Amino acid sequence: MTSLPASAGGTPVRKQFLPYALPLVGDEEKREVLKVLDSGWITTGPRAFEFEKRLASYTGAAHAVVLSSCTAALHVSLAALGVGEGDEVVTSTMTFCSTANVILHLKARPVLADVEPGAMTISPEEIRRRMTPRTKAIIPVHYGGHPCRMDEIAEIARKAGVPVVEDAAHALGAVYKGRNVGTLSAATCFSFYAIKNLTTAEGGAVVTDDPELAARIRLYAFHGMSKDAWKRYTSAGSWYYEVMYPGFKYNMTDIQAALGLCQLEKLGQFLERRESIAALYDREFAGMDEITTLSVDSGVRHARHLYPIMLNLERLTIDRARFIEELKAENIGTTVNFVPVHMHPYYRDTFGLKREDFPVAAAAYDRLISLPLYPKMTDEDAADVVEAVRKIAAHFRR
Ligand SMILES: *Cc1c(COP(=O)(O)O)cnc(C)c1O
């Protein structure tokens, strides 16, 4: 016998609401942030440069530039690679809106591509189909932390002579065929937003092996001001600078970097914890007819940022929105990653896009729910999520 859903007067699986996501910040972070506040240097300085060194060393890339967000990282990476008016940039429709927004900020055209049905990562065949002579860059999105099919994407990019800029907002710590995400392309952008795998509250970074690109990214991210100008003209003194480009203000503060340095120390444990909760979900959901879990390619280390499930709607009497409401009544927070870019009014109307132009993403969108997955969760929390999903699925089984 199945118990009654909380929405119908049953007892909720949990007494206390389990948020969809929470950051995990400890005493070390608090101590280090206070040290920065007391130091007299609170904006970009020694902590930020240290964080850059550690990120480069963690990913294995030669250079890291820390910034105010992943959105900023994507924006300046494209700008520094020369993307501008009249250019096209191919990216996934299954992403957060900022991946596409930044392309428009540069007056270029976002060309969306559909995703793989199993992992929701951008489909290489779709990229190939959407490339034109105006294509100036490709932005694969490592959906949920699952690396895209990078060998094929790199080959397409190489043949077309265009750079790849990875949206690795979910994928710090991911590995593709033995190579770290961060070492596979011209530039790789990470997010340190509050609920990403590593947080600085708000923040991001670009890593690259190309010293000139790193220097240009640095320049564009700070007003286009050349800090080296005064070094070359020593007689002018240290107050002198030259503006080489009308740049942006995207630098990361030392307060954020202090947080990031502590979080990077813990990232290994965070990823293990994410793995273990994901494994618990995988085990528990394996035999269920009402839901499907996403697949993981062989040869990748998934960074397990998200744990999306797909409802098998033909087996249920309720839709996705109602399933989310039912879980909320059981005190389980969830979200949807993502509303596909092509379904947002601006993109739909500006580019005349139809839902079915990207059939895999459109069909997935109707069925996707991201479950809570974060290191602060206990095994009991995860077991509650499983119980609530089972309870709702059983009650509304067709
Ligand atoms: C979070 C996210 C971003 C933006 O990151 P911010 O640091 O918040 O700017 C970009 N792309 C994807 C896929 C994301 O999930």
Side-chain angles (χ1 to χ4, degrees):
M1 205 197 83
T2 65
S3 50
L4 211 54
S7 69
T11 311
V13 166
R14 286 175 66 91
K15 283 206 185 71
Q16 280 236 316
F17 186 71
L18 180 71
Y20 161 66
L22 283 174
L24 182 49
V25 173
D27 290 336
E28 302 79 9
E29 281 88 337
K30 293 177 198 167
R31 264 200 307 276
E32 291 302 313
V33 165
L34 285 177
K35 263 196 229 164
V36 172
L37 291 175
D38 287 336
S39 74
W41 193 280
I42 58 178
T43 185
T44 310
R47 301 281 77 197
F49 299 128
E50 181 64 24
F51 189 30
E52 287 181 341
K53 265 195 224 153
R54 300 278 182 91
L55 274 173
S57 136
Y58 179 82
T59 54
H63 307 275
V65 182
V66 292
L67 299 166
S68 54
S69 70
C70 182
T71 305
L74 290 162
H75 187 189
V76 283
S77 295
L78 294 177
L81 285 162
V83 171
E85 197 159 357
D87 294 334
E88 293 177 357
V89 177
V90 179
T91 192
S92 173
T93 192
M94 194 51 100
T95 187
F96 184 58
C97 60
S98 72
T99 319
N101 288 347
V102 297
I103 300 168
L104 286 165
H105 295 163
L106 293 164
K107 299 193 169 74
R109 181 188 178 96
V111 174
L112 301 173
D114 209 350
V115 292
E116 302 278 328
M120 295 290 117
T121 52
I122 194 167
S123 147
E125 290 74 29
E126 270 281 300
I127 296 176
R128 208 174 279 121
R129 202 159 81 76
R130 311 266 178 189
M131 303 272 291
T132 77
R134 288 180 299 280
T135 306
K136 196 69 187 276
I138 301 168
I139 311 182
V141 180
H142 302 309
Y143 178 88
H146 187 300
C148 297
R149 285 161 56 188
M150 292 308 294
D151 278 348
E152 286 147 278
I153 294 169
E155 180 62 13
I156 295 167
R158 195 190 56 77
K159 277 194 182 141
V162 302
V164 173
V165 175
E166 292 167 57
D167 181 337
H170 302 173
L172 185 62
V175 181
Y176 176 79
K177 297 189 180 175
R179 290 173 293 156
N180 290 345
V181 166
T183 60
L184 304 163
S185 302
T188 302
C189 301
F190 297 106
S191 174
F192 310 135
Y193 176 63
I195 58 168
K196 295 283 161 62
N197 284 10
L198 176 158
T199 186
T200 61
E202 296 282 357
V206 188
V207 301
T208 177
D209 280 337
D210 178 347
E212 281 169 24
L213 182 63
R216 210 152 49 240
I217 286 168
R218 222 176 264 291
L219 181 83
Y220 285 24
F222 199 72
H223 310 290
M225 277 167 58
S226 172
K227 294 177 197 164
D228 294 334
W230 63 267
K231 285 183 196 156
R232 282 185 273 121
Y233 307 106
T234 45
S235 62
S238 61
W239 52 265
Y240 187 73
Y241 61 85
E242 292 177 337
V243 172
M244 314 301 287
Y245 174 88
F248 310 98
K249 180 120 198 283
Y250 282 163
N251 53 303
M252 176 183 280
T253 69
D254 267 20
I255 303 171
Q256 292 164 297
L259 256 167
L261 281 162
C262 294
Q263 292 265 301
L264 192 54
E265 289 289 316
K266 302 174 181 178
L267 184 61
Q269 292 157 255
F270 287 174
L271 292 172
E272 275 175 32
R273 189 65 200 133
R274 284 176 177 277
E275 289 270 5
S276 121
I277 297 167
L280 182 152
Y281 284 157
D282 282 346
R283 273 197 309 278
E284 295 292 334
F285 295 140
M288 281 183 70
D289 293 334
E290 297 83 9
I291 67 171
T292 303
T293 57
L294 298 194
S295 61
V296 181
D297 294 349
S298 60
V300 306
R301 186 196 188 184
H302 192 313
R304 293 297 187 184
H305 176 59
L306 302 179
Y307 195 94
I309 57 169
M310 296 229 254
L311 302 181
N312 296 333
L313 294 173
E314 63 287 354
R315 301 255 184 183
L316 294 164
T317 59
I318 57 173
D319 66 4
R320 187 267 314 276
R322 176 75 187 276
F323 205 104
I324 286 177
E325 284 311 304
E326 294 294 336
L327 288 175
K328 195 170 162 196
E330 303 297 335
N331 278 324
I332 304 291
T334 60
T335 192
V336 175
N337 300 98
F338 296 95
V339 179
V341 174
H342 77 277
M343 292 173 69
H344 287 296
Y346 179 85
Y347 287 90
R348 183 191 63 206
D349 300 342
T350 305
F351 300 103
L353 302 172
K354 288 190 267 316
R355 189 189 134 89
E356 292 309 321
D357 290 345
F358 307 90
V360 180
Y365 171 59
D366 292 342
R367 305 167 53 199
L368 277 170
I369 301 178
S370 294
L371 300 180
L373 174 65
Y374 46 99
K376 204 172 188 175
M377 284 172 70
T378 63
D379 283 352
E380 290 71 36
D381 293 333
D384 289 342
V385 175
V386 170
E387 190 185 335
V389 169
R390 285 184 177 284
K391 181 179 171 184
I392 302 308
H395 188 81
F396 295 101
R397 186 176 287 148
R398 192 186 284 279

